[in-house]
Amino acid sequence: RKGLLQKLFATAVLLSLAVNAVATAVFAWASSLNYPGGHAMDMLHSMNTAEHGSIPVAFVHIDNLAATTGVSRFGEINPWWTYSKEEGLTIEELQTKPFTHLISEHEAVPTYNRVASVSGFTHVSINRWPSASHPLPFSLNTAPQIYIHTRSASSDSKP
């Protein structure tokens, strides 16, 4: 009888450790999707390196949502670029400032071309009928949250 209780207790401990490990992995996965601003900053740097062969001089505006979702001073890796986190700028003010690039929550900004979007975590949904293509009983859903823009070549307001 005592041996059976010990086995049940050991099984319960091992089962709780396994559930904890799975939950930790899922929460870490969801957390990694919470930083679209940081991913956008990385994407902007890699796009310009690949596009131009060498990194050009740029004046990048980082809006509030991007700054609070992963953009930090550690991501400001290009010494020839100027980074601005000036707060409270309206879309109209963005058009008059000399920014060459925007990392913004705005899907469209006049005088700028949207060149990419970065999705971020929105919610968890239950998958009642797991299948080969979706084997987990849940999905972590994302949607575009941050947009990368470059100034239009035809813009009247050049930097």
Side-chain angles (χ1 to χ4, degrees):
R1 187 158 210 188
K2 188 175 181 181
L4 178 62
L5 286 176
Q6 286 178 334
K7 286 181 184 178
L8 286 174
F9 181 73
T11 302
V13 167
L14 290 174
L15 185 60
S16 70
L17 287 173
V19 168
N20 188 339
V22 168
T24 299
V26 169
F27 291 136
W29 178 24
S31 178
S32 74
L33 300 174
N34 276 332
Y35 299 99
H39 294 299
M41 184 75 134
D42 289 341
M43 185 183 290
L44 177 62
H45 283 104
S46 65
M47 285 172 28
N48 278 290
T49 301
E51 184 180 319
H52 298 287
S54 63
I55 302 174
V57 174
F59 188 16
V60 181
H61 174 68
I62 300 155
D63 79 0
N64 189 47
L65 182 62
T68 59
T69 60
V71 174
S72 72
R73 295 275 182 211
F74 296 110
E76 296 177 7
I77 60 174
N78 191 315
W80 296 282
W81 288 14
T82 301
Y83 301 90
S84 169
K85 291 185 180 177
E86 187 176 347
E87 294 185 32
L89 296 178
T90 64
I91 290 180
E92 293 76 23
E93 290 172 314
L94 288 173
Q95 295 173 61
T96 63
K97 298 280 186 170
F99 302 123
T100 59
H101 298 79
L102 305 176
I103 299 178
S104 173
E105 64 189 278
H106 301 294
E107 190 172 348
V109 179
T111 70
Y112 287 88
N113 296 319
R114 185 180 70 224
V115 294
S117 65
V118 179
S119 294
F121 178 76
T122 57
H123 65 281
V124 175
S125 61
I126 302 301
N127 182 7
R128 294 177 192 235
W129 308 108
S131 65
S133 62
H134 298 291
L136 297 175
F138 61 88
S139 296
L140 300 181
N141 299 295
T142 62
Q145 293 180 356
I146 302 289
Y147 302 91
I148 300 172
H149 304 271
T150 58
R151 187 168 290 277
S152 301
S154 62
S155 172
D156 294 334
S157 174
K158 300 231 184 237

